[in-house]
Amino acid sequence: MNEHVPVMLDEVLASLAPREAGRYLDGTFGGGGYARAILERADCTLWAIDRDPAAIERGASLIARYPGRLHLLHGQFGDMVTLLEQAGVTALDGIVLDLGVSSFQLDDPKRGFSFRHDGPLDMRMGRHGTSAADLVNMLPERDLADVLFELGEERASRRIAKAIVAARLEAPIETTGRLAAIIRSVLPPDRSGNHPATRSFQALRIKVNDELRQIELALQQAIGLLAPGGRLVVVAFHSLEDRIVKRFMTQAAGRTGSPSRHDPAGLITRDAPKFRLLTARAVRPDASETERNPRSRSARLRALERLAKGRDT
Ligand SMILES: C[S@@+](CC[C@H](N)C(=O)[O-])C[C@H]1O[C@@H](n2cnc3c(N)ncnc32)[C@H](O)[C@@H]1O
């Protein structure tokens, strides 16, 4: 199986700017690419979360390489405050989130994330709860169409949902290959050359893992954890993710009118913002990276800094 090639690693390090004795969180440990680079960049301490038990198991060997400096936490980044509290951590100098799935997950047919390999239609990063097969076999046609439209921005959502419902009457849809074939039967490849199942698979993955809600929870909690001068860096891979990140960061930096409904701690204010945007607009990978690593093509990095004391009043 391929390694996971970290996306926009130089840009992540430049935005996070890890420093000696700093305390950092990598909310998406994955293959440990960012984690290793942060630990190498400065003599700091890093807590790293992943909801996938396989990622945590893979990371165990890294702990010995950085004695006392790397702490792996199994769970969801949407629960970061609780997970960190249990580890005795209440404030951080930086947090990074690299959203979506890793190559380890995507390239393993048994995980069921990809239409490129046939395998069980699973898609659960955390390996428990409702699977993609449960959704396609049980959701009413209308709800299925809504998921494909809202989370995959799939304009042919109704046609695809209809075909899925007809197919599941014959036999339950249990594999990625069968689902991809059903979608291909009603939707020809588009001009960009993308597989017609791309958007539907994205939609199901987001739904199965409740990804957008996880991002909202993580952003709210992250800004409460940042110490003065602390930084939040997020790499998003599609417009639904990036829209949430952009709106949240812009509001936190006081750039928009209305206070956020996601601000129980009252940290986001228009009059005296406690945060500043480090990225006026999203940073994109350069051409050499997209050539080397096609998975980086859609990446967008945004970063925010909590203002140091004395600047926030
Ligand atoms: C793109 S990969 C991260 C790769 C990592 N930056 C690296 O360089 O190796 C995303 C990882 O985040 C994990 N993940 C996604 N959503 C999560 C969530 N809500 N909570 C915890 N982990 C999550 C996935 O299981 C996956 O391992």
Side-chain angles (χ1 to χ4, degrees):
M1 196 184 305
N2 291 334
E3 291 278 300
H4 179 91
V5 181
V7 170
M8 297 186 77
L9 183 56
D10 291 343
E11 293 86 346
V12 165
L13 288 175
S15 300
L16 193 67
R19 54 181 170 73
E20 304 296 295
R23 298 150 299 170
Y24 297 91
L25 171 69
D26 177 351
T28 49
F29 178 72
Y34 287 4
R36 258 193 304 269
I38 293 166
L39 289 161
E40 291 293 333
R41 177 58 61 96
D43 189 5
C44 57
T45 308
L46 180 72
W47 286 265
I49 295 174
D50 205 294
R51 73 197 297 181
D52 188 340
I56 299 294
E57 272 165 37
R58 254 195 327 268
S61 61
L62 267 193
I63 294 177
R65 201 184 304 171
Y66 302 100
R69 295 177 54 209
L70 172 62
H71 306 276
L72 296 181
L73 308 172
H74 180 229
Q76 306 187 140
F77 56 55
D79 298 324
M80 66 171 73
V81 164
T82 308
L83 291 166
L84 287 165
E85 251 170 30
Q86 286 163 355
V89 183
T90 52
L92 292 164
D93 299 300
I95 298 172
V96 62
L97 297 174
D98 181 15
L99 301 174
V101 283
S102 70
S103 301
F104 291 106
Q105 293 165 327
L106 205 56
D107 294 342
D108 181 353
K110 290 195 291 296
R111 305 299 302 270
F113 284 104
S114 173
F115 46 79
R116 294 187 200 287
H117 322 278
D118 194 20
L121 188 54
D122 190 326
M123 301 196 191
R124 295 170 301 177
M125 293 187 208
R127 299 198 169 215
H128 60 81
T130 305
S131 70
D134 294 334
L135 292 181
V136 299
N137 288 303
M138 283 163 21
L139 279 183
E141 183 177 328
R142 202 194 163 91
D143 294 356
L144 195 51
D146 287 348
V147 168
L148 303 182
F149 183 71
E150 284 162 20
L151 302 181
E153 301 179 286
E154 174 56 77
R155 275 177 296 161
S157 57
R158 297 212 179 286
R159 242 188 307 152
I160 294 172
K162 194 166 180 215
I164 288 174
V165 168
R168 77 189 187 194
L169 284 176
E170 286 166 24
I173 301 163
E174 279 162 353
T175 63
T176 52
R178 177 144 182 252
L179 179 61
I182 294 164
I183 297 170
R184 211 175 26 233
S185 73
V186 290
L187 198 65
D190 62 21
R191 260 178 281 152
S192 67
N194 287 336
H195 190 290
T198 307
R199 290 180 295 276
S200 298
F201 270 62
Q202 173 190 303
L204 290 169
R205 196 200 82 200
I206 294 174
K207 178 75 177 168
V208 163
N209 296 289
D210 199 13
E211 290 181 32
L212 303 185
R213 173 92 186 122
Q214 278 290 306
I215 296 169
E216 288 182 350
L217 287 170
L219 295 173
Q220 293 159 35
Q221 294 179 36
I223 59 164
L225 283 163
L226 286 182
R231 292 175 167 200
L232 170 63
V233 181
V234 184
V235 180
F237 288 86
H238 54 76
S239 56
L240 297 175
E241 291 173 345
D242 187 52
R243 205 174 296 153
I244 296 172
V245 178
K246 178 180 176 186
R247 184 182 299 161
F248 185 88
M249 288 194 174
T250 310
Q251 272 184 351
R255 297 279 186 90
T256 53
S258 52
S260 171
R261 66 190 169 94
H262 301 306
D263 185 28
L267 284 163
I268 299 177
T269 68
R270 189 178 169 194
D271 303 331
K274 292 183 167 55
F275 301 90
R276 82 177 167 104
L277 280 177
L278 297 172
T279 47
R281 56 182 57 208
V283 180
R284 310 294 303 260
D286 61 29
S288 72
E289 177 166 8
T290 54
E291 208 167 294
R292 264 183 287 122
N293 181 12
R295 279 182 188 161
S296 70
R297 264 188 315 226
S298 53
R300 279 163 256 194
L301 179 152
R302 296 184 190 271
L304 188 74
E305 181 182 58
R306 179 157 191 168
L307 294 171
K309 277 195 181 115
R311 292 184 61 192
D312 60 350
T313 52

